[in-house]
Amino acid sequence: MRRGLVPSRGRQALELLARLGYGARGVTYCLVGGLALLAAIGVGGQTGGSRSALLILLERPFGWILLGIVAFGLAAFALWRVVEALTDADGYGRSAKGLATRAGHLVSGFTYGGLGVSMMLAALGRGTARQAEDQGARDWTAWLLQQPFGQWLVGAVGLVVIGAGLAFAWKAWKGDVCKRLSVPHDARDWVRHVGRFGYAARALTFGLIGGFLIAAALASRSSEVKGLGGALQALRGEPYGWVLLGLTAAGLAAFGVFGLVQARYRRIDPPDLDAARRAVEDIAR
């Protein structure tokens, strides 16, 4: 069925979920970056990842409602990423670069889906959301290390993460971050600068996370693995670490703001719900 013949109500619902998802991701990065920036300048805050940053909401009045809304948004973003990747909703095509981008979005979907479920359980007062920040990554790394050629596999994952970081770095340097945005003309300059700053911070953190994975592969120890929070803590421990941490934290917060802009102005062309349902069912089999 051609998109022009798709019932508009279903596509509008999927577009709404996608926008809610971009907004929830933006809020998450704003929290991560804002808290790390406060830690860098020594006025509280924390150098944690997405999980610990979102759990801060539970300390606020009606925090479980706020966390539940963000958790639902993250689950919506996960759904959109999976649908986007499997149906090629953004038109990346089947070239090597296009398939790599779609594969990255698929992995992103599973990652945000896990985070969304975990945070929803936390909002309901259930689950193990308060486990160690990087424990999940260490668990799957430990499992992977036990498999044949486990060290090579973990090292390969590390290289893929570093590759993603390099792609973010290229996007920060020369990429058109406004390509899929319909922002007003007089706002494009500041949106472009904010987006590039955000992608630069993501490039640095992905590079560090990938480096930790390679270190884990070389030492055959899953304890070497660190996530976003561990990467921020590593920056803090360097000479002039507060400057490095402050710049990176500001960049992550900028990426959060960019996510909120995406939620409002990104061009989204969702497939029909039947195609989306079939795509999700295919991957669930």
Side-chain angles (χ1 to χ4, degrees), residues 189-212:
D189 283 344
W190 75 262
V191 170
R192 182 180 298 109
H193 292 316
V194 167
R196 285 184 169 179
F197 187 26
Y199 276 108
R202 293 194 82 195
L204 177 58
T205 54
F206 268 63
L208 289 171
I209 293 169
F212 293 137

mmCIF file of all heavy atoms in Angstrom, residues 189-212:
data_model
loop_
_atom_site.group_PDB
_atom_site.id
_atom_site.type_symbol
_atom_site.label_atom_id
_atom_site.label_comp_id
_atom_site.label_asym_id
_atom_site.label_seq_id
_atom_site.Cartn_x
_atom_site.Cartn_y
_atom_site.Cartn_z
ATOM 1 N N ASP A 189 20.459 28.887 12.745
ATOM 2 C CA ASP A 189 21.855 29.030 13.155
ATOM 3 C C ASP A 189 22.084 28.516 14.569
ATOM 4 O O ASP A 189 22.999 27.728 14.811
ATOM 5 C CB ASP A 189 22.295 30.495 13.045
ATOM 6 C CG ASP A 189 22.575 30.913 11.615
ATOM 7 O OD1 ASP A 189 22.733 30.013 10.760
ATOM 8 O OD2 ASP A 189 22.620 32.121 11.349
ATOM 9 N N TRP A 190 21.251 28.956 15.525
ATOM 10 C CA TRP A 190 21.488 28.512 16.888
ATOM 11 C C TRP A 190 21.151 27.043 17.065
ATOM 12 O O TRP A 190 21.831 26.335 17.829
ATOM 13 C CB TRP A 190 20.740 29.377 17.901
ATOM 14 C CG TRP A 190 19.264 29.175 18.013
ATOM 15 C CD1 TRP A 190 18.291 29.915 17.439
ATOM 16 C CD2 TRP A 190 18.591 28.165 18.783
ATOM 17 N NE1 TRP A 190 17.041 29.435 17.783
ATOM 18 C CE2 TRP A 190 17.191 28.377 18.608
ATOM 19 C CE3 TRP A 190 19.009 27.128 19.595
ATOM 20 C CZ2 TRP A 190 16.230 27.569 19.214
ATOM 21 C CZ3 TRP A 190 18.060 26.319 20.205
ATOM 22 C CH2 TRP A 190 16.696 26.539 20.016
ATOM 23 N N VAL A 191 20.159 26.543 16.328
ATOM 24 C CA VAL A 191 19.854 25.112 16.395
ATOM 25 C C VAL A 191 21.026 24.304 15.856
ATOM 26 O O VAL A 191 21.401 23.269 16.420
ATOM 27 C CB VAL A 191 18.559 24.799 15.615
ATOM 28 C CG1 VAL A 191 18.372 23.286 15.463
ATOM 29 C CG2 VAL A 191 17.354 25.401 16.318
ATOM 30 N N ARG A 192 21.636 24.773 14.772
ATOM 31 C CA ARG A 192 22.785 24.073 14.192
ATOM 32 C C ARG A 192 23.947 24.033 15.184
ATOM 33 O O ARG A 192 24.577 22.985 15.375
ATOM 34 C CB ARG A 192 23.227 24.764 12.901
ATOM 35 C CG ARG A 192 24.391 24.059 12.199
ATOM 36 C CD ARG A 192 24.801 24.782 10.930
ATOM 37 N NE ARG A 192 23.718 24.805 9.955
ATOM 38 C CZ ARG A 192 23.027 25.873 9.628
ATOM 39 N NH1 ARG A 192 23.301 27.048 10.203
ATOM 40 N NH2 ARG A 192 22.057 25.819 8.739
ATOM 41 N N HIS A 193 24.236 25.161 15.833
ATOM 42 C CA HIS A 193 25.344 25.199 16.792
ATOM 43 C C HIS A 193 25.060 24.306 17.998
ATOM 44 O O HIS A 193 25.947 23.581 18.464
ATOM 45 C CB HIS A 193 25.592 26.636 17.253
ATOM 46 C CG HIS A 193 26.121 27.536 16.182
ATOM 47 N ND1 HIS A 193 27.128 27.156 15.307
ATOM 48 C CD2 HIS A 193 25.790 28.815 15.827
ATOM 49 C CE1 HIS A 193 27.395 28.144 14.481
ATOM 50 N NE2 HIS A 193 26.592 29.167 14.776
ATOM 51 N N VAL A 194 23.841 24.353 18.497
ATOM 52 C CA VAL A 194 23.479 23.515 19.639
ATOM 53 C C VAL A 194 23.571 22.037 19.273
ATOM 54 O O VAL A 194 24.119 21.222 20.031
ATOM 55 C CB VAL A 194 22.055 23.866 20.127
ATOM 56 C CG1 VAL A 194 21.529 22.806 21.092
ATOM 57 C CG2 VAL A 194 22.048 25.225 20.804
ATOM 58 N N GLY A 195 23.062 21.685 18.090
ATOM 59 C CA GLY A 195 23.115 20.293 17.653
ATOM 60 C C GLY A 195 24.540 19.796 17.478
ATOM 61 O O GLY A 195 24.879 18.691 17.903
ATOM 62 N N ARG A 196 25.385 20.600 16.864
ATOM 63 C CA ARG A 196 26.777 20.183 16.651
ATOM 64 C C ARG A 196 27.521 20.050 17.980
ATOM 65 O O ARG A 196 28.324 19.131 18.158
ATOM 66 C CB ARG A 196 27.478 21.189 15.740
ATOM 67 C CG ARG A 196 27.063 21.060 14.280
ATOM 68 C CD ARG A 196 27.839 21.987 13.376
ATOM 69 N NE ARG A 196 27.619 21.658 11.978
ATOM 70 C CZ ARG A 196 28.155 22.309 10.957
ATOM 71 N NH1 ARG A 196 28.956 23.346 11.181
ATOM 72 N NH2 ARG A 196 27.916 21.930 9.712
ATOM 73 N N PHE A 197 27.281 20.957 18.894
ATOM 74 C CA PHE A 197 27.894 20.869 20.216
ATOM 75 C C PHE A 197 27.457 19.575 20.907
ATOM 76 O O PHE A 197 28.254 18.860 21.522
ATOM 77 C CB PHE A 197 27.503 22.097 21.038
ATOM 78 C CG PHE A 197 28.204 22.214 22.363
ATOM 79 C CD1 PHE A 197 29.447 21.641 22.589
ATOM 80 C CD2 PHE A 197 27.601 22.916 23.408
ATOM 81 C CE1 PHE A 197 30.087 21.763 23.818
ATOM 82 C CE2 PHE A 197 28.222 23.043 24.637
ATOM 83 C CZ PHE A 197 29.466 22.463 24.837
ATOM 84 N N GLY A 198 26.182 19.257 20.781
ATOM 85 C CA GLY A 198 25.663 18.035 21.383
ATOM 86 C C GLY A 198 26.276 16.789 20.784
ATOM 87 O O GLY A 198 26.658 15.861 21.502
ATOM 88 N N TYR A 199 26.381 16.745 19.460
ATOM 89 C CA TYR A 199 26.980 15.577 18.813
ATOM 90 C C TYR A 199 28.463 15.447 19.151
ATOM 91 O O TYR A 199 28.989 14.329 19.249
ATOM 92 C CB TYR A 199 26.782 15.647 17.299
ATOM 93 C CG TYR A 199 25.436 15.119 16.857
ATOM 94 C CD1 TYR A 199 24.444 15.980 16.398
ATOM 95 C CD2 TYR A 199 25.158 13.757 16.908
ATOM 96 C CE1 TYR A 199 23.205 15.490 16.000
ATOM 97 C CE2 TYR A 199 23.921 13.266 16.516
ATOM 98 C CZ TYR A 199 22.955 14.133 16.066
ATOM 99 O OH TYR A 199 21.723 13.650 15.688
ATOM 100 N N ALA A 200 29.152 16.559 19.341
ATOM 101 C CA ALA A 200 30.555 16.495 19.741
ATOM 102 C C ALA A 200 30.699 15.848 21.115
ATOM 103 O O ALA A 200 31.604 15.024 21.342
ATOM 104 C CB ALA A 200 31.161 17.901 19.749
ATOM 105 N N ALA A 201 29.811 16.200 22.043
ATOM 106 C CA ALA A 201 29.858 15.592 23.373
ATOM 107 C C ALA A 201 29.548 14.102 23.299
ATOM 108 O O ALA A 201 30.186 13.282 23.974
ATOM 109 C CB ALA A 201 28.863 16.297 24.300
ATOM 110 N N ARG A 202 28.571 13.728 22.494
ATOM 111 C CA ARG A 202 28.264 12.309 22.321
ATOM 112 C C ARG A 202 29.441 11.570 21.693
ATOM 113 O O ARG A 202 29.719 10.417 22.045
ATOM 114 C CB ARG A 202 27.021 12.132 21.446
ATOM 115 C CG ARG A 202 25.731 12.619 22.070
ATOM 116 C CD ARG A 202 24.547 12.092 21.294
ATOM 117 N NE ARG A 202 24.210 10.725 21.678
ATOM 118 C CZ ARG A 202 23.418 9.934 20.972
ATOM 119 N NH1 ARG A 202 22.909 10.346 19.836
ATOM 120 N NH2 ARG A 202 23.146 8.726 21.395
ATOM 121 N N ALA A 203 30.130 12.203 20.761
ATOM 122 C CA ALA A 203 31.294 11.574 20.138
ATOM 123 C C ALA A 203 32.352 11.241 21.183
ATOM 124 O O ALA A 203 32.913 10.131 21.191
ATOM 125 C CB ALA A 203 31.876 12.500 19.069
ATOM 126 N N LEU A 204 32.611 12.177 22.082
ATOM 127 C CA LEU A 204 33.620 11.957 23.116
ATOM 128 C C LEU A 204 33.205 10.826 24.048
ATOM 129 O O LEU A 204 34.004 9.927 24.359
ATOM 130 C CB LEU A 204 33.841 13.245 23.906
ATOM 131 C CG LEU A 204 34.829 13.152 25.087
ATOM 132 C CD1 LEU A 204 36.191 12.690 24.607
ATOM 133 C CD2 LEU A 204 34.935 14.502 25.792
ATOM 134 N N THR A 205 31.965 10.849 24.507
ATOM 135 C CA THR A 205 31.533 9.816 25.454
ATOM 136 C C THR A 205 31.480 8.446 24.789
ATOM 137 O O THR A 205 31.852 7.436 25.410
ATOM 138 C CB THR A 205 30.156 10.162 26.054
ATOM 139 O OG1 THR A 205 29.212 10.387 25.011
ATOM 140 C CG2 THR A 205 30.253 11.418 26.915
ATOM 141 N N PHE A 206 31.037 8.365 23.540
ATOM 142 C CA PHE A 206 31.036 7.079 22.842
ATOM 143 C C PHE A 206 32.461 6.563 22.659
ATOM 144 O O PHE A 206 32.709 5.357 22.773
ATOM 145 C CB PHE A 206 30.340 7.209 21.485
ATOM 146 C CG PHE A 206 28.870 6.889 21.523
ATOM 147 C CD1 PHE A 206 28.000 7.654 22.287
ATOM 148 C CD2 PHE A 206 28.354 5.831 20.802
ATOM 149 C CE1 PHE A 206 26.645 7.368 22.342
ATOM 150 C CE2 PHE A 206 27.006 5.538 20.841
ATOM 151 C CZ PHE A 206 26.141 6.300 21.616
ATOM 152 N N GLY A 207 33.396 7.461 22.362
ATOM 153 C CA GLY A 207 34.788 7.047 22.233
ATOM 154 C C GLY A 207 35.328 6.463 23.527
ATOM 155 O O GLY A 207 36.020 5.435 23.517
ATOM 156 N N LEU A 208 34.994 7.089 24.639
ATOM 157 C CA LEU A 208 35.447 6.579 25.935
ATOM 158 C C LEU A 208 34.803 5.233 26.257
ATOM 159 O O LEU A 208 35.474 4.299 26.713
ATOM 160 C CB LEU A 208 35.122 7.589 27.037
ATOM 161 C CG LEU A 208 35.956 8.872 27.043
ATOM 162 C CD1 LEU A 208 35.388 9.873 28.046
ATOM 163 C CD2 LEU A 208 37.411 8.569 27.371
ATOM 164 N N ILE A 209 33.506 5.111 26.016
ATOM 165 C CA ILE A 209 32.804 3.859 26.297
ATOM 166 C C ILE A 209 33.384 2.729 25.447
ATOM 167 O O ILE A 209 33.606 1.608 25.923
ATOM 168 C CB ILE A 209 31.295 4.021 26.042
ATOM 169 C CG1 ILE A 209 30.692 4.988 27.073
ATOM 170 C CG2 ILE A 209 30.583 2.673 26.109
ATOM 171 C CD1 ILE A 209 29.277 5.430 26.748
ATOM 172 N N GLY A 210 33.634 3.019 24.164
ATOM 173 C CA GLY A 210 34.254 2.018 23.301
ATOM 174 C C GLY A 210 35.643 1.640 23.783
ATOM 175 O O GLY A 210 36.032 0.464 23.733
ATOM 176 N N GLY A 211 36.402 2.623 24.269
ATOM 177 C CA GLY A 211 37.727 2.335 24.810
ATOM 178 C C GLY A 211 37.658 1.427 26.028
ATOM 179 O O GLY A 211 38.495 0.514 26.193
ATOM 180 N N PHE A 212 36.672 1.640 26.893
ATOM 181 C CA PHE A 212 36.499 0.769 28.058
ATOM 182 C C PHE A 212 36.184 -0.667 27.622
ATOM 183 O O PHE A 212 36.652 -1.630 28.237
ATOM 184 C CB PHE A 212 35.383 1.295 28.959
ATOM 185 C CG PHE A 212 35.699 2.603 29.630
ATOM 186 C CD1 PHE A 212 34.746 3.620 29.715
ATOM 187 C CD2 PHE A 212 36.945 2.829 30.193
ATOM 188 C CE1 PHE A 212 35.038 4.813 30.332
ATOM 189 C CE2 PHE A 212 37.247 4.030 30.811
ATOM 190 C CZ PHE A 212 36.288 5.030 30.885
#
